[in-house]
Amino acid sequence: MLLAAPPLQAPDLRSDLDLTIEELVRLIDLADDLKRNPASYAHTLDGRYLSLLFEKPSLRTRFTFDLAIQQLGGGAVTQIGPIGDREPLADIARNLDRWTNAIVARVFSQNTIEELARWSRVPVINALSDLYHPCQILADVQTIRERFGRWEGLKLAYVGDGNNVAHSLLLNAGRLGIHVAIASPETHSPLPEITASAREAGVEFTLTPDPREAVDGAHIVYTDVWASMGQESEALERQRIFAPYQVNAPLLAAARPEAIFLHCLPAKRGQEVTEEVIESPQSAVFDQAENRLHAQKALLLLLVR
Ligand code: CP
Ligand code: NVA
């Protein structure tokens, strides 16, 4: 069993940048050990409880946080619905921190995460916001190292909407030495404040409107839905805008022959990815989903007291 100490520098995981690069590597090493030896961690969080708050739907994040804490000896209480409608976020945080040892929240606005973290005395974990999806990227980089044995020197092509997942990939995969090339329409590129943070963190990346340019030489081809949760009314318009960005067999063939395909899921087959690609031997999407469990166990072991 790998020791979880010392504690992390930041008390929360509000965004990817709350983890230093050394902490991120330590977390993924721990996640690998948790995957190999789950039984040896069975009582490491005995008697610890999570508050799971979801303003948006979830399959993977909800199940994996709930199972992660249970398999480490603790438990979780889940609430689905708007956060902060009945009472101020400051009061919610100061109730939950009396009963549970961490707050995991999936929210519409990053401000909700920031406000919960401001008031909570226990860690707040961002389980997806409009800006970031840091828990997803932990599993992604674990999957990438399992497949390639390293991060340094790899190229990841992200093709599609410059959204929360693209932002988190840029920040975390980028800091691990993966060159992230994002192909998106200029109107839907990653936000300038995120690319500025990535640059400040020393990340080298490429932004291009051309999917072929992004996938050229790529070890990993990654995509996500064209309309994120909350953007359903734009779905038809987005199908038109993003049509040239579909990850299909010819696009995947333009990457390296050993390239893998990743998708955070849920996927819309026939839109951002074809059935042929997601079901192909190059697809690692279910390993990626499995690793949500192991990576989040590691996160809980490092954050929760
Ligand atoms: N990838 C991901 O976060 O899945 P869910 O929306 O099902 O949690
Ligand atoms: N970008 C997607 C990710 C879902 C896991 C969304 O925010 O809906």
Side-chain angles (χ1 to χ4, degrees), residues 158 160-163 166-167 170 182-195 205-207:
Y158 175 93
D161 189 18
N163 62 15
H167 289 166
L170 201 51
I182 298 186
S184 52
E186 267 149 26
T187 46
H188 294 76
S189 304
L191 291 175
E193 57 262 39
I194 305 289
T195 51
F205 58 92
T206 313
L207 302 182

Side-chain angles (χ1 to χ4, degrees), residues 28-298:
I28 303 302
D29 290 345
L30 182 57
D32 285 347
D33 198 54
L34 278 151
K35 187 170 183 173
R36 281 190 300 265
N37 307 303
S40 59
Y41 292 87
H43 297 289
T44 45
L45 289 182
D46 269 351
R48 311 300 208 293
Y49 292 91
L50 296 183
S51 299
L52 300 180
L53 308 180
F54 286 88
E55 285 190 322
K56 300 175 178 179
S58 172
L59 178 79
R60 281 146 291 272
T61 309
R62 180 179 167 191
F63 273 75
T64 52
F65 268 113
D66 199 333
L67 290 168
I69 190 75
Q70 288 190 50
Q71 290 173 12
L72 298 174
V77 180
T78 301
Q79 177 178 280
I80 299 170
I83 308 171
D85 274 16
R86 273 182 83 220
E87 55 190 314
L89 294 166
D91 289 5
I92 295 174
R94 288 177 296 173
N95 278 262
L96 297 178
D97 72 6
R98 299 292 176 110
W99 309 319
T100 64
N101 305 90
I103 301 171
V104 178
R106 169 167 285 191
V107 300
F108 281 97
S109 163
Q110 178 67 19
N111 294 336
T112 305
I113 296 288
E114 302 293 338
E115 188 68 359
L116 289 171
R118 183 171 159 227
W119 291 98
S120 170
R121 294 182 309 185
V122 300
V124 171
I125 296 173
N126 181 347
L128 181 147
S129 70
D130 53 340
L131 294 186
Y132 309 106
H133 197 359
C135 298
Q136 177 66 49
I137 276 51
L138 301 178
D140 299 346
V141 296
Q142 184 183 8
T143 310
I144 290 168
R145 194 173 63 175
E146 278 174 352
R147 294 291 180 126
F148 294 99
R150 66 186 204 283
W151 293 304
E152 200 70 40
L154 299 180
K155 181 179 182 187
L156 182 152
Y158 175 93
V159 181
D161 189 18
N163 62 15
N164 43 11
V165 170
H167 289 166
S168 285
L169 278 170
L170 201 51
L171 294 173
N172 263 352
R175 283 189 302 150
L176 288 170
I178 300 176
H179 185 95
V180 180
I182 298 186
S184 52
E186 267 149 26
T187 46
H188 294 76
S189 304
L191 291 175
E193 57 262 39
I194 305 289
T195 51
S197 306
R199 242 177 242 114
E200 238 171 76
V203 171
E204 285 178 20
F205 58 92
T206 313
L207 302 182
T208 171
D210 180 0
R212 287 274 172 161
E213 184 188 330
V215 302
D216 183 41
H219 302 78
I220 304 124
V221 178
Y222 198 126
T223 190
D224 184 17
V225 288
W226 291 338
S228 283
M229 292 179 277
Q231 296 172 333
E232 289 78 7
S233 64
E234 300 171 30
L236 276 180
E237 171 68 355
R238 283 171 169 267
Q239 283 179 41
R240 192 187 56 75
I241 295 169
F242 286 103
Y245 292 85
Q246 182 184 69
V247 178
N248 48 32
L251 189 68
L252 188 59
R256 288 174 171 263
E258 73 274 27
I260 60 169
F261 171 73
L262 296 182
H263 191 308
C264 56
L265 303 178
K268 287 241 188 290
R269 288 164 164 81
Q271 292 188 27
E272 77 275 4
V273 61
T274 57
E275 175 83 5
E276 190 183 3
V277 165
I278 199 168
E279 297 296 344
S280 75
Q282 284 170 274
S283 173
V285 298
F286 299 112
D287 285 351
Q288 197 186 350
E290 179 191 331
N291 286 339
R292 296 293 304 275
L293 177 71
H294 310 301
Q296 285 160 201
K297 277 185 181 172

Side-chain angles (χ1 to χ4, degrees), residues 10-28:
D12 305 294
L13 183 66
R14 297 164 305 149
S15 85
D16 306 82
L17 292 176
D18 275 338
L19 290 173
T20 66
I21 198 67
E22 293 75 22
E23 289 170 344
L24 180 56
V25 174
R26 186 150 64 91
L27 191 156
I28 303 302

